[in-house]
mmCIF file of all heavy atoms in Angstrom:
data_model
loop_
_atom_site.group_PDB
_atom_site.id
_atom_site.type_symbol
_atom_site.label_atom_id
_atom_site.label_comp_id
_atom_site.label_asym_id
_atom_site.label_seq_id
_atom_site.Cartn_x
_atom_site.Cartn_y
_atom_site.Cartn_z
ATOM 1 N N SER M 143 122.864 2.369 20.696
ATOM 2 C CA SER M 143 123.878 2.328 21.721
ATOM 3 C C SER M 143 123.200 2.608 23.114
ATOM 4 O O SER M 143 122.151 3.323 23.222
ATOM 5 C CB SER M 143 124.876 3.548 21.492
ATOM 6 O OG SER M 143 124.270 4.737 21.584
ATOM 7 N N LEU M 144 123.852 2.146 24.124
ATOM 8 C CA LEU M 144 123.440 2.342 25.513
ATOM 9 C C LEU M 144 124.618 2.549 26.429
ATOM 10 O O LEU M 144 125.534 1.837 26.405
ATOM 11 C CB LEU M 144 122.584 1.114 26.031
ATOM 12 C CG LEU M 144 122.207 1.130 27.521
ATOM 13 C CD1 LEU M 144 121.105 2.227 27.702
ATOM 14 C CD2 LEU M 144 121.676 -0.218 27.924
ATOM 15 N N SER M 145 124.455 3.561 27.269
ATOM 16 C CA SER M 145 125.431 3.763 28.334
ATOM 17 C C SER M 145 124.603 3.945 29.631
ATOM 18 O O SER M 145 123.573 4.575 29.641
ATOM 19 C CB SER M 145 126.271 5.005 28.100
ATOM 20 O OG SER M 145 125.507 6.130 28.093
ATOM 21 N N ALA M 146 125.139 3.311 30.728
ATOM 22 C CA ALA M 146 124.409 3.351 31.936
ATOM 23 C C ALA M 146 125.374 3.299 33.159
ATOM 24 O O ALA M 146 126.339 2.603 33.163
ATOM 25 C CB ALA M 146 123.364 2.167 32.067
ATOM 26 N N THR M 147 124.997 4.000 34.201
ATOM 27 C CA THR M 147 125.697 3.974 35.487
ATOM 28 C C THR M 147 124.687 3.709 36.582
ATOM 29 O O THR M 147 124.212 4.639 37.218
ATOM 30 C CB THR M 147 126.459 5.308 35.693
ATOM 31 O OG1 THR M 147 125.503 6.429 35.631
ATOM 32 C CG2 THR M 147 127.551 5.517 34.747
ATOM 33 N N TRP M 148 124.418 2.445 36.740
ATOM 34 C CA TRP M 148 123.353 2.039 37.692
ATOM 35 C C TRP M 148 124.134 1.631 39.056
ATOM 36 O O TRP M 148 125.312 1.248 39.020
ATOM 37 C CB TRP M 148 122.536 0.844 37.316
ATOM 38 C CG TRP M 148 121.794 1.191 36.040
ATOM 39 C CD1 TRP M 148 121.493 2.435 35.591
ATOM 40 C CD2 TRP M 148 121.164 0.298 35.106
ATOM 41 N NE1 TRP M 148 120.739 2.373 34.381
ATOM 42 C CE2 TRP M 148 120.518 1.076 34.050
ATOM 43 C CE3 TRP M 148 121.147 -1.097 35.006
ATOM 44 C CZ2 TRP M 148 119.881 0.496 33.028
ATOM 45 C CZ3 TRP M 148 120.390 -1.680 33.958
ATOM 46 C CH2 TRP M 148 119.765 -0.848 32.995
ATOM 47 N N PRO M 149 123.487 1.809 40.222
ATOM 48 C CA PRO M 149 124.121 1.559 41.484
ATOM 49 C C PRO M 149 124.810 0.279 41.723
ATOM 50 O O PRO M 149 125.877 0.264 42.391
ATOM 51 C CB PRO M 149 122.922 1.742 42.524
ATOM 52 C CG PRO M 149 121.879 2.596 41.791
ATOM 53 C CD PRO M 149 122.034 2.200 40.357
ATOM 54 N N ASP M 150 124.318 -0.773 41.206
ATOM 55 C CA ASP M 150 124.920 -2.137 41.522
ATOM 56 C C ASP M 150 125.953 -2.546 40.485
ATOM 57 O O ASP M 150 126.491 -3.615 40.517
ATOM 58 C CB ASP M 150 123.853 -3.169 41.548
ATOM 59 C CG ASP M 150 124.270 -4.428 42.240
ATOM 60 O OD1 ASP M 150 125.117 -4.376 43.142
ATOM 61 O OD2 ASP M 150 123.782 -5.529 41.905
ATOM 62 N N MET M 151 126.344 -1.654 39.559
ATOM 63 C CA MET M 151 127.284 -2.065 38.447
ATOM 64 C C MET M 151 128.723 -1.823 38.954
ATOM 65 O O MET M 151 129.042 -0.884 39.634
ATOM 66 C CB MET M 151 127.075 -1.134 37.162
ATOM 67 C CG MET M 151 125.856 -1.480 36.463
ATOM 68 S SD MET M 151 125.666 -0.348 35.001
ATOM 69 C CE MET M 151 124.333 -1.187 34.129
ATOM 70 N N LYS M 152 129.558 -2.791 38.743
ATOM 71 C CA LYS M 152 130.999 -2.661 39.089
ATOM 72 C C LYS M 152 131.661 -1.592 38.332
ATOM 73 O O LYS M 152 132.628 -0.952 38.827
ATOM 74 C CB LYS M 152 131.703 -3.941 38.859
ATOM 75 C CG LYS M 152 131.369 -5.059 39.876
ATOM 76 C CD LYS M 152 132.312 -6.339 39.671
ATOM 77 C CE LYS M 152 132.040 -7.376 40.777
ATOM 78 N NZ LYS M 152 132.968 -8.553 40.607
ATOM 79 N N ALA M 153 131.202 -1.346 37.104
ATOM 80 C CA ALA M 153 131.918 -0.345 36.235
ATOM 81 C C ALA M 153 130.773 0.182 35.295
ATOM 82 O O ALA M 153 129.787 -0.416 35.059
ATOM 83 C CB ALA M 153 132.942 -0.977 35.410
ATOM 84 N N PRO M 154 130.913 1.488 34.895
ATOM 85 C CA PRO M 154 129.994 2.007 33.964
ATOM 86 C C PRO M 154 129.667 1.140 32.734
ATOM 87 O O PRO M 154 130.621 0.501 32.253
ATOM 88 C CB PRO M 154 130.612 3.294 33.523
ATOM 89 C CG PRO M 154 131.476 3.703 34.698
ATOM 90 C CD PRO M 154 131.984 2.377 35.153
ATOM 91 N N PHE M 155 128.462 0.942 32.337
ATOM 92 C CA PHE M 155 128.113 0.040 31.192
ATOM 93 C C PHE M 155 128.068 0.838 29.949
ATOM 94 O O PHE M 155 127.549 1.975 29.831
ATOM 95 C CB PHE M 155 126.746 -0.530 31.527
ATOM 96 C CG PHE M 155 126.254 -1.488 30.417
ATOM 97 C CD1 PHE M 155 126.559 -2.884 30.446
ATOM 98 C CD2 PHE M 155 125.507 -0.939 29.451
ATOM 99 C CE1 PHE M 155 126.070 -3.672 29.454
ATOM 100 C CE2 PHE M 155 125.055 -1.828 28.418
ATOM 101 C CZ PHE M 155 125.364 -3.133 28.431
ATOM 102 N N SER M 156 128.555 0.234 28.884
ATOM 103 C CA SER M 156 128.511 0.864 27.473
ATOM 104 C C SER M 156 128.499 -0.237 26.472
ATOM 105 O O SER M 156 129.330 -1.179 26.534
ATOM 106 C CB SER M 156 129.614 1.822 27.327
ATOM 107 O OG SER M 156 129.618 2.440 26.066
ATOM 108 N N THR M 157 127.554 -0.169 25.580
ATOM 109 C CA THR M 157 127.518 -1.099 24.448
ATOM 110 C C THR M 157 127.011 -0.484 23.258
ATOM 111 O O THR M 157 126.177 0.443 23.372
ATOM 112 C CB THR M 157 126.699 -2.410 24.852
ATOM 113 O OG1 THR M 157 127.016 -3.392 23.826
ATOM 114 C CG2 THR M 157 125.288 -2.140 24.927
ATOM 115 N N ARG M 158 127.314 -1.046 22.043
ATOM 116 C CA ARG M 158 126.812 -0.464 20.740
ATOM 117 C C ARG M 158 126.857 -1.357 19.703
ATOM 118 O O ARG M 158 127.764 -2.273 19.607
ATOM 119 C CB ARG M 158 127.745 0.806 20.433
ATOM 120 C CG ARG M 158 127.498 1.471 19.138
ATOM 121 C CD ARG M 158 128.508 2.553 18.933
ATOM 122 N NE ARG M 158 128.429 3.188 17.636
ATOM 123 C CZ ARG M 158 129.258 4.093 17.088
ATOM 124 N NH1 ARG M 158 130.289 4.374 17.775
ATOM 125 N NH2 ARG M 158 129.017 4.584 15.912
ATOM 126 N N ASN M 159 125.956 -1.197 18.704
ATOM 127 C CA ASN M 159 125.976 -2.093 17.517
ATOM 128 C C ASN M 159 125.494 -1.206 16.340
ATOM 129 O O ASN M 159 124.292 -0.715 16.347
ATOM 130 C CB ASN M 159 124.997 -3.323 17.641
ATOM 131 C CG ASN M 159 125.092 -4.303 16.506
ATOM 132 O OD1 ASN M 159 125.604 -3.887 15.450
ATOM 133 N ND2 ASN M 159 124.734 -5.514 16.750
ATOM 134 N N ASN M 160 126.317 -0.997 15.363
ATOM 135 C CA ASN M 160 126.049 -0.162 14.218
ATOM 136 C C ASN M 160 125.765 -0.945 12.961
ATOM 137 O O ASN M 160 125.872 -0.417 11.854
ATOM 138 C CB ASN M 160 127.176 0.808 13.981
ATOM 139 C CG ASN M 160 128.495 0.208 13.726
ATOM 140 O OD1 ASN M 160 128.578 -1.058 13.654
ATOM 141 N ND2 ASN M 160 129.542 0.980 13.485
ATOM 142 N N SER M 161 125.434 -2.268 13.075
ATOM 143 C CA SER M 161 125.091 -3.025 11.922
ATOM 144 C C SER M 161 123.752 -3.750 12.015
ATOM 145 O O SER M 161 123.627 -4.913 11.583
ATOM 146 C CB SER M 161 126.207 -4.031 11.674
ATOM 147 O OG SER M 161 126.406 -4.878 12.796
ATOM 148 N N LEU M 162 122.798 -2.955 12.566
ATOM 149 C CA LEU M 162 121.392 -3.605 12.714
ATOM 150 C C LEU M 162 120.560 -3.377 11.487
ATOM 151 O O LEU M 162 120.908 -2.561 10.598
ATOM 152 C CB LEU M 162 120.774 -2.920 13.954
ATOM 153 C CG LEU M 162 121.530 -3.031 15.247
ATOM 154 C CD1 LEU M 162 120.772 -2.233 16.413
ATOM 155 C CD2 LEU M 162 121.629 -4.529 15.647
ATOM 156 N N ASP M 163 119.492 -4.010 11.460
ATOM 157 C CA ASP M 163 118.528 -3.844 10.326
ATOM 158 C C ASP M 163 117.112 -4.185 10.841
ATOM 159 O O ASP M 163 116.456 -5.096 10.360
ATOM 160 C CB ASP M 163 118.930 -4.787 9.151
ATOM 161 C CG ASP M 163 118.151 -4.497 7.917
ATOM 162 O OD1 ASP M 163 117.512 -3.389 7.807
ATOM 163 O OD2 ASP M 163 118.204 -5.384 7.028
ATOM 164 N N TYR M 164 116.614 -3.361 11.732
ATOM 165 C CA TYR M 164 115.318 -3.530 12.417
ATOM 166 C C TYR M 164 114.333 -2.444 11.983
ATOM 167 O O TYR M 164 114.763 -1.349 11.365
ATOM 168 C CB TYR M 164 115.428 -3.579 13.858
ATOM 169 C CG TYR M 164 116.062 -4.775 14.557
ATOM 170 C CD1 TYR M 164 117.191 -4.476 15.424
ATOM 171 C CD2 TYR M 164 115.791 -6.044 14.218
ATOM 172 C CE1 TYR M 164 117.773 -5.618 16.043
ATOM 173 C CE2 TYR M 164 116.382 -7.110 14.791
ATOM 174 C CZ TYR M 164 117.447 -6.851 15.729
ATOM 175 O OH TYR M 164 118.082 -7.964 16.222
ATOM 176 N N LEU M 165 113.170 -2.572 12.181
ATOM 177 C CA LEU M 165 112.105 -1.592 12.147
ATOM 178 C C LEU M 165 112.023 -0.828 10.789
ATOM 179 O O LEU M 165 112.102 0.275 10.552
ATOM 180 C CB LEU M 165 112.246 -0.476 13.177
ATOM 181 C CG LEU M 165 112.487 -0.942 14.609
ATOM 182 C CD1 LEU M 165 112.573 0.289 15.560
ATOM 183 C CD2 LEU M 165 111.531 -1.879 15.067
ATOM 184 N N GLN M 166 112.007 -1.681 9.692
ATOM 185 C CA GLN M 166 112.040 -1.090 8.322
ATOM 186 C C GLN M 166 110.780 -0.574 7.911
ATOM 187 O O GLN M 166 109.691 -1.192 8.094
ATOM 188 C CB GLN M 166 112.401 -2.350 7.397
ATOM 189 C CG GLN M 166 113.797 -2.969 7.598
ATOM 190 C CD GLN M 166 114.115 -4.046 6.701
ATOM 191 O OE1 GLN M 166 113.529 -4.123 5.594
ATOM 192 N NE2 GLN M 166 115.046 -4.940 7.058
#
């Protein structure tokens, strides 16, 4: 998950994926 509030963003950013299968 990532949340970010960077200066040039129109709105706070938030995204998430809970069905990954990396780095086994």
Side-chain angles (χ1 to χ4, degrees):
S143 67
L144 173 68
S145 61
T147 52
W148 299 343
D150 197 31
M151 290 179 169
K152 284 187 176 181
F155 178 90
S156 180
T157 191
R158 174 185 178 187
N159 188 338
N160 61 0
S161 59
L162 301 176
D163 190 15
Y164 292 128
L165 315 185
Q166 299 180 20

